[in-house]
Amino acid sequence: MDKIIKDFLAEVNERNQNEPEFMQAVTEVAETVIPYIVKNNVYYGQNILLRMVEPERVISFRVAWIDDKEEIQVNRGYRIEMNSAIGPYKGGLRFHPSVNLSVLKFLAFEQIFKNSLTTLPMGGGKGGSDFDPKGKTDTEVMRFCQSFMTELFRHIGPNRDIPAGDIGVGSREIGYMFGQYKRLKNEFTGVLTGKGISWGGSLIRPEATGYGVVYFVQKMMENNGTGLKSKKVVISGSGNVAQYAAEKAIQLGGIVLTLSDSSGYIFDSEGIDEEKLKHVMTLKNIKRERISSYIKKYPKAKFVAGKTPWEVACEVALPCATQNELNEKDADLLIKNGCVCVGEGANMPSTPEAIHQFTNHKILYAPGKASNAGGVAVSGLEMAQNSLRYNWSREEVDAKLQSIMAEIHQSCLYYGKEEGYVNYVKGANIAGFVKVADAMLAQGVV
Ligand code: NDP
Ligand code: 2IT
């Protein structure tokens, strides 16, 4: 078995040189899915995984725009259309200076499995740009978004490819991109998700990823005979996912101790309550300040510059910032300090070595493709509402989100149950794989 996996990865690596994040994501899937393929005659010999790692289409384009000083800026835009076996390409757009082909291919690859797990008919895709929205004025962001969409619009559509937000792309950016798409096509369609409520958005979409992570964590803990109530929760990031993970964790009785950004983390030993979190949302979403500003209003809290929050003792850790933000040393420290559950809000935030430690110590560990699927799930519900030309209530969407997260948890149990332990990595990968693989087999060699 080891040789089959090694040969497969060598072949993929040969074709995808200098793409470490992509290889990392493929390796994790290969290690759990190949043994399943080999055991199941229906998939064996079909080169299904080799087909899945090859994007159906990669689009790369120039994004030229003019900044406020009237200087011409050039960025690179991308859309990776990874897999459309079970539905149109679906996945976010990331605007961050670290964006490159490797990062977007890993995200698009993960998205195939995540979208499959949601139970909704969505294929996998991802896109973005190396544009950095930080420090840019609103008009600069608008000009960039308009230029980006002026090329992207010809590749996407409500039945073809439906982007959404991710790092650096929130409601402001979705608004500018939607406006430009509508102007170019002269059509009002659900081509993007994460839209504003008055122009086709869904209630609960902003909250969905963070809420979904906590619903999933709650399910994992309940399955182990505990729950979030009175548990110390450490969260990284302070963007969309981190904010709503914190909100739901607080609502379910957890004590949220930290939030972070790329400059460091804030630690509030008294707990970040709902009122403090409201202040964080104003700081980050309206004033666009750094998380360190938190201590100006709450001086009893401290800001730890240049560090990640994994050194703070907790029972539950929710990495909600970015890939590879939690390494082996962090994992060891978390475990040593009493952490019993890790739920990933970000995509691939734990390094392979960290995951190894979590599984070795048999602590509850949910990979992002399972635990952060609530965001894209409610994007799927936004698409459904757009098609119906109808809006569901907050309660209706939240109930559907909860039931989807519960179903994902069940799928992980079904494929991931081992002697006295649930391997959520194995469970999520196989459950996500089976649906897409069956669809690919039915549709022939395309
Ligand atoms: P936001 O842009 O709203 O927030 C990102 C947060 O992560 C910020 O606090 C940012 O800090 C921090 N961050 C980004 N890059 C780094 C880095 N290199 N090192 C340390 N901190 C960093 O993005 P989201 O909250 O939407 O996304 C967070 C994660 O969740 C990503 O992995 C994303 O792919 C994933 N995700 C998002 C979904 C969504 O619906 N939005 C759905 C599923 C997953 P700073 O401001 O300093 O950069
Ligand atoms: O990583 C993700 O799942 C997202 N950024 C959300 C994608 C979406 O289409 O809502």
Side-chain angles (χ1 to χ4, degrees):
M1 186 64 67
D2 282 355
K3 182 164 170 10
I4 300 179
I5 296 170
K6 218 173 120 218
D7 290 350
F8 171 81
L9 290 172
E11 185 173 351
V12 180
N13 193 45
E14 182 68 31
R15 279 199 200 158
N16 301 278
Q17 308 258 327
N18 305 318
E19 294 183 6
E21 293 87 0
F22 179 58
M23 285 310 300
Q24 186 182 331
V26 171
T27 302
E28 187 218 87
V29 167
E31 284 172 353
T32 45
V33 166
I34 289 180
Y36 181 80
I37 293 175
V38 172
K39 260 197 262 144
N40 285 271
N41 279 338
V42 59
Y43 304 119
Y44 195 50
Q46 298 285 338
N47 270 351
I48 290 275
L49 202 54
L50 201 58
R51 287 193 256 165
M52 276 188 199
V53 299
E54 194 59 33
E56 288 179 13
R57 197 172 296 105
V58 175
I59 301 150
S60 163
F61 51 95
R62 177 174 69 210
V63 188
W65 58 283
I66 297 174
D67 70 17
D68 285 351
K69 292 190 211 108
E70 305 220 328
E71 276 173 26
I72 296 169
Q73 300 289 337
V74 181
N75 287 101
R76 192 172 286 174
Y78 302 91
R79 188 73 183 163
I80 317 294
E81 296 184 334
M82 200 76 189
N83 193 297
S84 62
I86 64 168
Y89 309 107
K90 180 84 195 89
L93 295 170
R94 176 177 291 192
F95 292 169
H96 193 272
S98 63
V99 161
N100 58 34
L101 204 54
S102 172
V103 168
L104 293 181
K105 279 174 68 182
F106 114 66
L107 289 162
F109 182 67
E110 293 268 297
Q111 202 82 41
I112 304 174
F113 299 84
K114 186 196 303 195
N115 293 4
S116 165
L117 285 168
T118 66
T119 71
L120 301 174
M122 298 181 289
K126 200 86 189 189
S129 172
D130 57 2
F131 172 74
D132 187 358
K134 244 182 259 145
K136 304 287 191 301
T137 62
D138 275 358
T139 49
E140 287 178 322
V141 170
M142 181 173 75
R143 281 199 294 275
F144 173 82
C145 288
Q146 289 178 340
S147 181
F148 181 83
M149 187 50 87
T150 302
E151 173 58 34
L152 187 68
F153 92 101
R154 69 190 83 246
H155 306 290
I156 61 176
N159 295 311
R160 179 184 294 177
D161 185 352
I162 306 93
D166 193 79
I167 292 179
V169 178
S171 57
R172 173 182 63 170
E173 290 75 17
I174 293 291
Y176 293 151
M177 286 191 276
F178 183 78
Q180 185 70 350
Y181 180 89
K182 182 164 65 63
R183 175 201 211 179
L184 290 165
K185 291 285 278 194
N186 194 21
E187 280 173 8
F188 194 115
T189 60
V191 67
L192 294 166
T193 59
K195 299 184 292 299
I197 286 306
S198 61
W199 41 280
S202 173
L203 289 163
I204 303 280
R205 176 63 189 88
E207 296 89 339
T209 311
Y211 279 17
V213 174
V214 175
Y215 292 146
F216 197 90
V217 160
Q218 182 73 344
K219 279 269 165 252
M220 289 201 289
M221 294 183 84
E222 279 170 8
N223 194 52
N224 250 20
T226 57
L228 260 173
K229 199 159 174 44
S230 306
K231 300 290 189 306
K232 292 197 279 304
V233 183
V234 159
I235 301 180
S236 67
S238 50
N240 172 268
V241 180
Q243 290 172 16
Y244 289 103
E247 183 167 286
K248 188 51 73 182
I250 296 165
Q251 285 171 9
L252 295 184
I255 304 156
V256 176
L257 296 176
T258 67
L259 287 169
S260 75
D261 61 24
S262 53
S263 326
Y265 72 90
I266 52 130
F267 172 47
D268 189 333
S269 60
E270 291 176 354
I272 300 166
D273 59 18
E274 281 186 355
E275 195 195 310
K276 293 174 179 173
L277 185 62
K278 270 224 158 64
H279 177 65
V280 169
M281 289 181 179
T282 309
L283 270 184
K284 299 295 296 185
N285 309 347
I286 298 167
K287 299 190 177 162
R288 297 191 187 272
E289 285 188 25
R290 311 296 297 156
I291 196 64
S292 53
S293 303
Y294 181 91
I295 58 169
K296 286 190 208 150
K297 177 138 189 203
Y298 303 108
K300 280 196 206 150
K302 62 174 182 174
F303 174 66
V304 184
K307 292 247 185 139
T308 52
W310 316 125
E311 58 193 17
V312 174
C314 65
E315 280 97 19
V316 178
L318 307 177
C320 297
T322 194
Q323 64 272 6
N324 292 327
E325 56 164 316
L326 195 165
N327 62 27
E328 184 176 16
K329 254 178 57 204
D330 300 324
D332 287 341
L333 203 53
L334 281 169
I335 296 163
K336 190 177 124 222
N337 288 336
C339 180
V340 292
C341 179
V342 178
E344 294 185 340
N347 286 306
M348 207 168 76
S350 309
T351 63
E353 296 77 22
I355 298 173
H356 199 238
Q357 292 307 83
F358 296 146
T359 31
N360 259 358
H361 287 83
K362 295 201 170 0
I363 76 162
L364 297 169
Y365 164 71
K369 61 171 80 74
S371 49
N372 75 32
V376 73
V378 175
S379 276
L381 300 178
E382 182 172 330
M383 288 162 67
Q385 292 169 86
N386 291 163
S387 299
L388 290 169
R389 301 193 185 284
Y390 188 74
N391 296 314
W392 294 320
S393 69
R394 216 182 146 76
E395 291 69 29
E396 281 171 300
V397 180
D398 195 28
K400 289 186 204 303
L401 170 63
Q402 289 189 47
S403 89
I404 288 171
M405 296 317 294
E407 276 202 50
I408 297 174
H409 186 260
Q410 271 313 112
S411 303
C412 289
L413 292 191
Y414 184 79
Y415 288 104
K417 223 170 182 151
E418 292 173 353
E419 200 54 37
Y421 180 62
V422 182
N423 184 334
Y424 285 89
V425 175
K426 182 172 149 195
N429 286 343
I430 298 175
F433 169 83
V434 165
K435 187 172 157 191
V436 179
D438 288 347
M440 287 175 74
L441 283 183
Q443 292 168 26
V445 180
V446 289

